[in-house]
Structures are given as C-alpha cells and as structure tokens.
Amino acid sequence: MNESSYMLLHLSTGQDIIGEVLRSETGYDVRQPAMPQIQIDQAAQAMRIGIAPLHPWDQPSENSTIHLDAAHVVYMRPIPEQMANAIRVLAMDGVEKAKSGHPGMPMGMADVATVLFSKFLKFDASRPDWADRDRFILSAGHGSMLIYALLHLTGYKAATKEELSNFRQWGSKTAGHPEYGHMPGVEVTTGPLGQGLATSVGFALAERHLAAKYGDDLVDHRTWVIAGDGCLMEGVSQEAIALAGRLRLSKLTVLWDDNDITIDGKVSLSDATDQKARFKAAGWAVRAIDGHSMSEIKAALKWATRQDKPTLIACKTKIGRGAATMEGSHKTHGAALGAAEVAATRLGLAWDHDPFEMPETIADAWNKVGRRGAKDRKKWEARLAASPQAADFTRAMKGDLPEGAFDALNAKIAELIETQPAQATRQSSGAALDQVFGAIPELVGGSADLTGSNNTFVAGTPIFDQPTYEGRYVNWGIREFGMAAAMNGLALHGGIIPYGGTFMVFSDYSRPAIRLGALMGVRAIHVLTHDSIGLGEDGPTHQPVEHL
C-alpha cells in the first residue's frame, strides 16, 4: 500500500473532504476526522471524486474511513504537485499564446518554486515593497513565465490573468525577460545570463550590512536565486561566488536548475565543469537533490537556512517536466510547445481547464501562500514603529538623503574655486568623497583592487567583512564585472548608495552591469579614474581612447 495525505473534492457538492488515503488493489480507503464510513457505490449519484493531495507534511487525524472505488476516481495528485502543475500550465499557455518564449525552465523548476514560495520565502503579496521581505531573483530570466505565474498565483495585484495572456506583447508588464520597475515582485532585470546571480551578491551584502547597522529586529531576511546552467557558465558567476564565499554570505542560497540542457543540446557539448566542486572550492555549502521530490526540496531548503556560509542546492530536474512527449528535450527551452503538445500535456496532467483558468481549490491554496507572510509583516511594522531608528531606517530605504548632505562639499568647492590648486581628477574625486562620506551614511564604497589609484577610500573607514559586516568599504578584488553587478544589487535592495572604482579603460569589463543598471535606473556610482589618453608609461592598453 502507498500512503499519503490528500484533499478530496466532492464534485457533486463542492465540499472539500480532508483525510489520508491508502491505495489498495480495489480502490482507495480514506481515513477522515469526524466523518462516518461511506461506501462510494452507496453515495448519491455514485459521486465522482476529484482528488488533489494535501502537503504530505500536513497529516490529519485518523478517525474513520471512506472507501473509493478506483473506477470513480477522476485524478489523484498531491496539492503541492497540483500547485506546481498550475505553474507548468500557465507557463506553457503564456508561451503558446505569444508563440514565443521559454516554457522548459518554468516547467522544470515548478516543484522547487512551489516549495520555496509555499514554505520558505518570506513575503506578503499585498505589500511587495515590505523592506524585510526575502528577495527572490530569477537569474535564469528567459524562464520569466515562472515568476509571472508565481506572482499571479500568490495574488500580486499587477500580475493579472490579462497580463499573463499578454506575455511578450508590446506594452505589457510581462516582458520576455523580467524587468525591474514594470511588475511588482520583480526585484531585478534579468536575462543576460549570470547577472542575476552576480547581482544577488549585492542584495545579500546589503542585508548583512543593514542588519549590522539597524539590528535583526528590522533587517533579517534571505536572498534566494534560481540559476541555470547558462548562468554558471558565464564568467561573472565565478567572480560572484568567489566573493560571496570569502564573505560567508550565509543568507544567500542559489537553486541551480541542473537539467543538463542548453539551447544547442546537452551541456556536455560545451562544458564538463564539476559545478558542485567549483562552489565548494569557493567556500559554499553544497547539496544535491532530486528537483522533483517535494520532500527532498523541503529538506534541502531547511538545511540551507542553517548553514554559516552561502549555499548551492543542485536541483536535478527535467526541462519541460510534464510535457507529454517533449519532457527532457532541449526543444522545450526556447520555443512554444505547439497546440498538439499542449493539449496532450493537459491530458497527462489531468488539467481540463481553459488557458489561464485555475480550479478553485488550487487558486485558494496559492492565494493562501500569498497571504502567509502578512502576520510577520505586521509584527515587523510594529517593531519598526517602536524603534528609535525608525525615521532614519525609513529615510534610508526610501533613498532620501540626510539634511545638509552636501553642505561640507559645497564649502569645499567654494574653497577650491578660490585657491585653484593643481589636482588630478582622481584627487578631486577623492577630496569630494572625503566631504560627503561622513554626511551620507548610506554610502558604501570599494574598488576593484585599485584603491590607492582610484582614491576611493576615506581615511578611518572600517572594511566590510565577516563576521560583523558593519564596515563601509568593500574589497572587491580584481572583479570589475562582479563589482558592478553587486553594486546594482546593493542599490536595488535599498538603504545603501554604492560606489566603486576602477580605471576608465577597465569599464569594458563592467560595462554589461553598468548597462543593466542604467536600464533599471539604479543609483550606483562608478568612479572611473585614469580618464585621459595621456597615461604615459602605462601605454595603449590603459589608454581609454575609444571610451572618450
């Protein structure tokens, strides 16, 4: 016998019946609280039963039994599995209607996303701007229907059925790749692979720094990332994971969609990297799981919250999970499944609802997930109201500058106009930082291993480092791209105004992140020194001719 916990929907009355199901050769015995034994063949109209299981970890009491003749069972799936199937169906429907998109990843990671959102992610769909929410970053941004489906199902007001049906259309909020500022719940613009993962390091840095500044009562949340094989192949991923490991950013978890597929075919066509070993070497805790086992997913996410270093969970999945004939095929990666495959997949999932329509039981289950964090959010708001730091915290998170932020700088400028000293531009930049750094406590600086040359360090500034994280200067190392991407994350998180220095010619390394930051309109300051072609002995490799 196979035993698990289920929700039964009595289709003739519309009532939910909750109990445990024992599968036998003759049918299903349902042990229920407070309900007498009933034989299905004695029920009125030989009642038809649609079965969708509860979370296996939510076990009801055992008082009585209903016997269901197997011939009268329409379908039998756990509620979490049905919730995951809702994501799969929305993903394939959105892509199918647009005739464009990437259904494979959302279908493959639907189980992981369901457990994450329903059991671990701290959020309140009614307040997307809650400062102490967990941050969810879809680094594999091509699978954007995953996040749009999740936002819709959990009750984000902007993520309407109409928006999902307008996926990838002109003027819609459901862009082909998630875009920050268009859809509440999208924390960062992703799509260029690897940048979501690299940006997440900035989010995790911001959380640790602000927790050190304001205390755990006001700042205590995690950053969760879904990344694919392409994200891990991009070079910026190494810059990001190396820094996160060095700083032991324990509230950062990467969920790797380990499906062994790229657009061209198997990952082995172009890569043989042992990714788990790579993350371990960078100082991460690593665990591998079956990405379609709800129990393994739940155990791994719980494990991640207990580690003292960043965590990678390698989720072995099948791309296009649930697709009738295309499951596991690279053909599901970047194209609509096609009408015939969609119809066959619906049949296989026992999903007889119209496109973008949800059965009431599943819709209610997901809406409950969206409301789950409301109590925590209200408790946090009470703590904030009672905190003596409330005004400063609120100001910083809104991005407002302190009163008189530029008074010292204006006085210095007036002095320099009067004295007219001969200074290199980097010396002037450093002098300006000296005047504003103390007046604007949200400024957090750094340099890509060029501190002395960039003049980005203000004397007496503590270094940002474990275990306290209160410092305001980050040693980024020789990682221009990683630095720029993390600066975007620092700025997007709120409460921090990041600046980072390198030579102007080396902006070539960081340009993709600078470009993405510009698209998002984030407040990140790039200090690019040595901005002259007259660099003398450094020669043409360091002369920013084409940049100027």
Side-chain angles (χ1 to χ4, degrees):
M1 285 189 176
N2 226 351
E3 187 170 352
S4 58
S5 177
Y6 292 82
M7 177 180 290
L8 313 182
L9 179 62
H10 188 323
L11 296 187
S12 63
T13 66
Q15 294 179 336
D16 289 340
I17 305 169
I18 295 182
E20 287 185 329
V21 174
L22 289 173
R23 180 179 295 182
S24 66
E25 294 180 359
T26 60
Y28 303 92
D29 292 323
V30 184
R31 294 189 303 222
Q32 284 195 302
M35 190 164 186
Q37 182 170 340
I38 300 174
Q39 293 294 323
I40 183 74
D41 53 2
Q42 296 174 351
Q45 301 176 358
M47 62 179 182
R48 291 174 62 80
I49 303 291
I51 302 185
L54 285 175
H55 298 80
W57 47 87
D58 294 334
Q59 296 291 339
S61 59
E62 303 172 17
N63 292 337
S64 56
T65 302
I66 304 175
H67 179 74
L68 308 180
D69 186 334
H72 292 92
V73 175
V74 180
Y75 59 83
M76 182 173 182
R77 297 186 189 278
I79 283 282
E81 185 178 328
Q82 286 292 84
M83 292 168 72
N85 284 343
I87 297 172
R88 293 185 171 100
V89 172
L90 287 173
M92 71 177 186
D93 284 347
V95 173
E96 187 65 28
K97 187 171 185 296
K99 303 302 180 187
S100 173
H102 302 75
M105 191 284 278
M107 296 176 76
M109 285 297 280
D111 299 312
V112 173
T114 297
V115 178
L116 173 62
F117 270 68
S118 64
K119 289 294 178 181
F120 291 89
L121 193 73
K122 184 173 73 170
F123 75 108
D124 179 2
S126 70
R127 285 290 304 275
D129 59 346
W130 174 24
D132 200 36
R133 68 190 181 278
D134 282 0
R135 269 55 170 188
F136 171 67
I137 297 173
L138 185 64
S139 186
H142 56 276
S144 55
M145 274 303 300
L146 176 67
I147 192 168
Y148 298 146
L150 287 163
L151 297 177
H152 171 68
L153 290 166
T154 54
Y156 282 76
K157 289 183 179 180
T160 62
K161 181 173 66 174
E162 290 71 28
E163 285 292 345
L164 266 64
S165 67
N166 285 325
F167 176 56
R168 283 184 165 237
Q169 303 308 300
W170 180 260
S172 74
K173 296 177 182 177
T174 47
H177 295 84
E179 294 185 24
Y180 171 76
H182 292 247
M183 174 71 75
V186 173
E187 302 284 2
V188 56
T189 297
T190 57
L193 294 179
Q195 284 210 55
L197 171 56
T199 303
S200 74
V201 174
F203 279 95
L205 282 166
E207 191 278 340
R208 288 291 75 206
H209 177 71
L210 294 175
K213 182 177 179 180
Y214 294 107
D216 292 343
D217 280 351
L218 296 185
V219 184
D220 185 13
H221 54 266
R222 302 187 62 84
T223 302
W224 305 88
V225 184
I226 286 182
D229 290 299
C231 293
L232 302 194
M233 285 190 199
E234 291 287 356
V236 72
S237 70
Q238 181 59 33
E239 297 184 26
I241 70 172
L243 184 67
R246 163 62 183 81
L247 295 174
R248 299 182 75 90
L249 299 177
S250 61
K251 292 194 173 184
L252 174 61
T253 296
V254 172
L255 304 164
W256 169 29
D257 180 19
D258 182 13
N259 61 27
D260 197 35
I261 291 291
T262 65
I263 292 177
D264 287 349
K266 291 284 188 181
V267 167
S268 57
L269 289 172
S270 57
D271 194 43
T273 302
D274 184 338
Q275 297 290 359
K276 295 186 287 292
R278 182 166 77 104
F279 275 77
K280 285 181 181 178
W284 290 54
V286 176
R287 186 162 175 170
I289 62 168
D290 177 352
H292 301 304
S293 167
M294 296 282 186
S295 59
E296 287 193 35
I297 297 165
K298 178 174 179 281
L301 296 180
K302 188 174 183 179
W303 164 83
T305 65
R306 296 174 174 174
Q307 302 308 302
D308 63 354
K309 58 183 71 173
T311 46
L312 172 75
I313 301 175
C315 308
K316 179 56 69 175
T317 62
K318 290 186 177 180
I319 193 170
R321 174 75 166 181
T325 67
M326 298 171 68
E327 180 180 290
S329 170
H330 71 277
K331 294 179 180 179
T332 68
H333 174 90
L337 299 183
E341 183 75 5
V342 168
T345 300
R346 268 185 154 73
L347 188 63
L349 297 177
W351 196 276
D352 59 355
H353 309 283
D354 291 336
F356 308 107
E357 295 293 338
M358 284 292 117
E360 185 176 354
T361 303
I362 303 305
D364 288 346
W366 270 115
N367 279 324
K368 184 179 179 181
V369 170
R371 298 190 302 267
R372 184 173 54 87
K375 288 184 179 178
D376 285 340
R377 190 255 305 164
K378 290 175 182 177
K379 290 178 181 177
W380 177 86
E381 288 175 342
R383 293 196 301 272
L384 176 64
S387 172
Q389 301 183 93
D392 187 61
F393 178 84
T394 302
R395 175 196 60 75
M397 292 302 294
K398 285 177 64 178
D400 294 339
L401 296 179
E403 189 173 345
F406 298 115
D407 288 352
L409 178 61
N410 290 334
K412 186 66 174 179
I413 291 172
E415 175 191 324
L416 293 176
I417 291 173
E418 181 68 26
T419 59
Q420 297 188 10
Q423 282 186 337
T425 52
R426 57 188 169 129
Q427 292 175 317
S428 299
S429 170
L433 281 173
D434 285 342
Q435 302 307 313
V436 299
F437 194 77
I440 306 176
E442 293 78 58
L443 282 170
V444 172
S447 170
D449 200 54
L450 289 168
T451 296
S453 297
N454 296 146
N455 284 11
T456 46
F457 183 75
V458 176
T461 303
I463 301 300
F464 179 97
D465 203 354
Q466 58 169 312
T468 58
Y469 303 105
E470 79 273 15
R472 293 173 60 193
Y473 195 83
V474 183
N475 289 311
W476 294 106
I478 304 90
R479 303 184 181 104
E480 292 87 356
F481 192 175
M483 173 182 73
M487 285 167 59
N488 286 341
L490 285 163
L492 288 164
H493 179 282
I496 290 176
I497 303 171
Y499 71 87
T502 189
F503 290 177
M504 189 173 192
V505 71
F506 297 148
S507 65
D508 283 348
Y509 290 129
S510 50
R511 187 177 296 164
I514 296 175
R515 178 178 182 271
L516 211 58
L519 283 172
M520 294 184 285
V522 301
R523 185 163 60 180
I525 302 168
H526 297 271
V527 180
L528 304 177
T529 66
H530 295 67
D531 53 347
S532 167
I533 61 172
L535 293 180
E537 65 274 11
D538 278 334
T541 60
H542 286 50
Q543 290 175 320
V545 176
E546 65 274 31
H547 304 72
L548 294 169

